[in-house]
Amino acid sequence: MMRRKLVAGNWKMHGLKADLGEVRAISAAMPDNVDAALCVPFTLIASAVEAAGDMLIGAQDVHEADKGAHTGCISAGMLIEAGAGLTLVGHSERRADQHETDAQVKAKAEAAHRAGLMVILCVGETLEERDSGRAEAVVTAQVAASLPAGAHGMWLALAYEPVWAIGTGRTPTEGDVAAMHGAIRAKLRELIGGEAESMRILYGGSVNAANASALLGCADVDGALVGGASLTADKFVPIIEAAAALG
Ligand code: 13P
């Protein structure tokens, strides 16, 4: 099956109104044959939506409840009202820093979908888990435990982000990327049958202009989730163009 590539930027805790020029420049360079998105801090969503034109603006997290006594948290309905079309859930930085569990990540994805958001659900192993030969077992277990009910490629994508590759300049070999994405696809087939073919599986972790073609060209890689190199148009646009060249 032909899956249209999705290249999403994750700005993490970066981005002030002074940076909206980058949002404008990235959206102006968006090719027709690729989906591009930027996941910005909550505070920047509404103004980024105005700056982004047709490009999708997303959040980096969402609370699993629709509303309630959850000081400092943001619901899916609030994201929709701010103009977001998508949210990340289960990023490893939140799994580590905020102790998010697979069950919570699943509930967040379901809440986001109920409100009408697209979702990118992140999974990935630590270096210790890879070095001990458990990477595939860990990641496929995360997929099984955090996959939302009714998972479908129309609204859900997965992102494989090895924790040790995030912000380090290190990436897995192309063989390791293809093997992991194949293992995730196989687990999805087990869980949701034929719908597995429609689901995009993005790679994330130290993607840049120099390695984007090779990583995006691996079997079962349907896009990229990009951190540091998504902060400026001069670094991010070449990655989107590499995806466009692969079709
Ligand atoms: P880097 O591209 O900075 O390694 O970050 C990857 C990431 O965590 C995207 O969500």
Side-chain angles (χ1 to χ4, degrees):
M1 139 157 320
M2 195 59 200
R3 290 175 293 266
R4 191 178 156 92
K5 289 208 168 12
L6 167 61
V7 180
N10 174 9
W11 275 19
K12 308 191 178 183
M13 202 169 71
H14 301 279
L16 297 168
K17 285 197 175 158
D19 301 305
L20 288 172
E22 300 296 341
V23 176
R24 268 182 224 104
I26 292 164
S27 77
M30 209 172 61
D32 291 339
N33 64 339
V34 166
D35 293 328
L38 278 180
C39 296
V40 299
F42 293 136
T43 48
L44 206 61
I45 289 174
S47 43
V49 166
E50 270 182 41
D54 289 342
M55 188 175 64
L56 202 56
I57 295 296
Q60 301 165 14
D61 179 49
V62 65
H63 196 276
E64 57 270 36
D66 294 337
K67 59 180 156 184
H70 303 289
T71 303
C73 298
I74 300 284
S75 73
M78 292 168 184
L79 295 180
I80 292 275
E81 191 172 80
L86 135 110
T87 187
L88 305 179
V89 295
H91 192 282
S92 60
E93 286 153 15
R94 295 200 60 85
R95 288 178 186 260
D97 299 351
Q98 272 75 36
H99 313 292
E100 289 187 3
T101 62
D102 285 328
Q104 208 178 349
V105 171
K106 175 176 176 344
K108 283 171 182 254
E110 289 169 352
H113 176 52
R114 269 199 309 278
L117 291 165
M118 283 182 54
V119 175
I120 299 177
L121 192 166
C122 309
V123 292
E125 83 284 1
T126 63
L127 188 58
E128 190 261 323
E129 288 162 344
R130 173 150 295 263
D131 286 346
S132 60
R134 291 184 291 135
E136 280 188 20
V138 165
V139 169
T140 54
Q142 283 177 336
V143 171
S146 52
L147 200 72
H152 192 285
M154 288 281 285
W155 61 271
L156 180 69
L158 299 189
Y160 167 56
E161 299 202 300
V163 175
W164 51 272
I166 294 176
T168 59
R170 289 181 62 196
T171 55
T173 64
E174 290 163 42
D176 284 345
V177 171
M180 183 61 85
H181 281 235
I184 294 172
R185 181 88 55 205
K187 176 53 76 177
L188 286 174
R189 280 192 197 109
E190 222 179 280
L191 294 166
I192 55 171
E195 299 302 348
E197 310 309 321
S198 71
M199 197 156 310
R200 292 182 284 196
I201 307 174
L202 317 184
Y203 168 79
S206 294
V207 177
N208 59 39
N211 62 22
S213 277
L215 290 165
L216 285 160
C218 293
D220 274 307
V221 174
D222 308 307
L225 182 56
V226 184
S230 72
L231 292 172
T232 57
D234 67 326
K235 293 207 173 77
F236 195 40
V237 171
I239 298 172
I240 298 172
E241 284 169 350
L246 290 162

